[in-house]
């Protein structure tokens, strides 16, 4: 029989809990995900999206007061599901019904916080794979700086302002732009004041707090804190959960948290391969980041740069972040026709966000053409500049064997070496 913590047990847990609370917002419908269940209750790994999110919160160094904000008809189910897990981690738990908007849901979570809580983190359950380290860093920054803190990543894509009819109006300077994540942390008094004086709806808590005239600053975000919004995001999350489970199983008796903590201890090596056929039209050839005038192009969703894609695969494999297909899927229109530099720059950002820096990369191109030797130095300089690390480029033929020997396409094999930041 499943047990639920009684009121006395919950009150006791509150009395010994830390002054940190984490409100996990999990009341959304998630219609774009294409599931009948609310997004937080969609299966992920061996559990649900919400279960993955809760596991990250409960792995914090300091056990928090956890508040789950869920659909009204899921309150009792969620309380029974997570009560024992929270108690085992030394955390107290409240489960409340969400409102019609995200803002109303957060307000419902704030209303049940005990008076002892001085630091509040608000987190979206949809960012289910957010590591415990990011919660710890946000909480520590709030306590040190005494104002709002949000994790953020640099914007690497070119950003356009577009009219309703699809016409491009202007290019936006991205140097001051950041992509903001959760958890977002605040001193309790600041968040209470911002909600009490809020006028209108805001897309996140940082905007609401800033509108109240209070300071909000950023700390580095984490690539694993991506938001599960569409089916492709869910597939990416499934793959990462499976890889994490396999890694933990191979780590011996250490639990998942110990395996994650040990992850940056040693350098890592990854390999990647890519193959593209020559196109049937007059597409330009892009290879090793360079344009090759007069050469027949390679077919592909992007520019078909097999060398750049192999390098990305090697780097992602070394960092344990998946592969090119899972990160830059062909279903993502943003990468249609994109050049190799776009993939390389984003891969570098992902690797660095995961706690590593690139040591060096090698890539060998297999094919009859183009002739690489005259432009090898140019290719190495370009790739090294984009990745911020030495890149060596080599080329060979397959002695007339196979599809490369027949001149049907190009293959590339890359090896990447990364080290802890």
């Amino acid at each position: 029989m499943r047990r639920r913590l009684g009121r006395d047990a919950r009150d006791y847990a509150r009395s010994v809990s830390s002054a940190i609370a984490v409100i996990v917002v999990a009341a959304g419908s998630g219609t774009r995900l294409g599931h009948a269940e609310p997004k937080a209750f969609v299966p992920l790994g061996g559990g649900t999206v919400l279960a993955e999110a809760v596991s990250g919160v409960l792995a914090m160094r300091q056990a928090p007061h956890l508040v789950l904000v869920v659909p009204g008809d899921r309150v009792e189910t969620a309380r029974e599901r997570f009560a024992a897990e929270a108690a085992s981690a030394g955390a107290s738990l409240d489960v409340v019904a969400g409102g019609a908007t995200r803002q109303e849901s957060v307000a419902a979570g704030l209303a049940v916080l005990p008076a002892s809580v001085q630091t509040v983190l608000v987190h979206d359950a949809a960012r289910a794979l957010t590591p415990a380290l990011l919660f710890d860093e946000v909480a520590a920054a709030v306590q040190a700086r005494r104002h709002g803190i949000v994790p953020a990543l640099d914007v690497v894509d070119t950003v356009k302002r577009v009219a309703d009819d699809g016409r491009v109006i202007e290019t936006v300077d991205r140097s001051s732009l950041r992509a903001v994540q959760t958890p977002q942390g605040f001193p309790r008094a600041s968040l209470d004041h911002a909600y009490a004086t809020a006028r209108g709806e805001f897309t996140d808590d940082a905007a609401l707090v800033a509108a109240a005239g209070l300071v909000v600053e950023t700390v580095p975000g984490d690539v694993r804190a991506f938001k599960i919004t569409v089916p492709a995001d869910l597939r990416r999350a499934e793959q990462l959960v499976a890889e994490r489970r396999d890694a933990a199983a191979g780590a011996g008796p250490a639990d998942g948290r110990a395996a994650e903590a040990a992850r940056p201890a040693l350098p890592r090596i990854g390999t990647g391969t890519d193959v593209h056929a020559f196109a049937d039209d007059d597409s330009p050839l892009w290879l090793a980041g360079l344009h090759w005038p007069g050469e027949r192009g390679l077919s592909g969703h992007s520019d078909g740069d097999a060398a750049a894609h192999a390098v990305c695969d090697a780097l992602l494999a070394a960092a344990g972040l998946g592969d090119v297909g899972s990160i830059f899927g062909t279903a993502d229109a943003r990468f249609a026709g994109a050049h190799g530099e776009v993939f390389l720059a984003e891969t570098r950002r992902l690797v660095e966000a995961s706690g590593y820096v690139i040591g060096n990369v090698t890539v060998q191109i297999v094919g009859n053409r183009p002739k690489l030797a005259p432009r090898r130095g140019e290719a190495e300089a370009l790739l090294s500049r984009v990745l911020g690390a030495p890149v060596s480029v080599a080329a060979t033929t397959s002695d007339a064997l196979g599809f490369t020997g027949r001149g049907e396409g190009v293959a590339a094999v890359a090896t990447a070496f990364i080290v802890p930041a």
Side-chain angles (χ1 to χ4, degrees), residues 16-35:
V16 298
S17 68
S18 72
I20 297 174
V22 180
I23 299 173
V24 178
V25 185
S29 61
T31 54
R32 284 182 289 175
L33 205 53
H35 280 256

Side-chain angles (χ1 to χ4, degrees), residues 92-144:
S92 52
L93 174 69
D94 270 310
V95 184
V96 299
T101 66
R102 184 186 186 280
Q103 202 160 308
E104 291 177 7
S105 292
V106 176
L110 281 171
V112 300
L113 292 183
S116 61
V117 169
Q118 299 300 312
T119 300
V120 181
L121 274 57
V122 182
H123 183 57
D124 292 334
R127 298 184 186 274
L129 302 188
T130 303
L133 179 61
L134 190 58
F135 289 93
D136 291 333
E137 290 179 345
V138 170
V142 172
Q143 293 168 342

Side-chain angles (χ1 to χ4, degrees), residues 123-316:
H123 183 57
D124 292 334
R127 298 184 186 274
L129 302 188
T130 303
L133 179 61
L134 190 58
F135 289 93
D136 291 333
E137 290 179 345
V138 170
V142 172
Q143 293 168 342
R145 304 184 199 178
R146 308 306 304 164
H147 51 243
I149 298 292
V150 297
L153 298 174
D154 291 342
V155 175
V156 297
D157 294 322
T158 298
V159 179
K160 304 286 187 183
R161 195 180 307 281
V162 180
D164 293 340
D165 61 2
R167 179 173 51 87
V168 174
I169 298 174
E170 63 174 327
T171 299
V172 180
D173 180 7
R174 68 187 181 195
S175 62
S176 62
L177 299 180
R178 300 294 183 270
V180 173
Q181 302 174 313
T182 69
Q184 299 185 357
F186 309 90
R188 167 74 175 279
S190 298
L191 197 57
D192 281 343
H193 170 73
Y195 267 84
T197 59
R199 298 292 182 268
E201 290 291 323
F202 296 85
T203 57
D204 69 354
D205 301 284
L208 188 150
V209 169
L214 303 174
V215 175
V216 179
E217 293 183 350
T218 64
V219 294
D222 192 296
V223 67
R224 291 166 289 181
F226 67 93
K227 190 174 184 179
I228 300 173
T229 304
V230 296
D233 300 323
L234 185 60
R235 290 193 295 270
R236 177 184 175 192
E238 287 280 9
Q239 181 175 2
L240 292 174
V241 169
E243 290 175 355
R244 186 182 64 195
R245 182 172 59 243
D246 292 344
D255 64 15
R257 279 176 289 174
E260 184 175 346
R263 182 180 177 189
L266 296 171
R268 301 183 66 166
I269 297 173
T271 59
T273 62
D274 196 52
V275 172
H276 283 279
F278 284 114
D280 294 328
D281 54 25
D282 58 355
S283 300
L285 176 63
W286 288 86
L287 191 63
L290 302 178
H291 176 223
W292 299 78
E295 292 282 355
R296 184 179 169 192
L298 294 165
S299 63
H301 176 63
S302 59
D303 65 356
D305 189 336
H309 300 169
V311 169
C312 291
D313 256 340
L315 288 165
L316 293 169

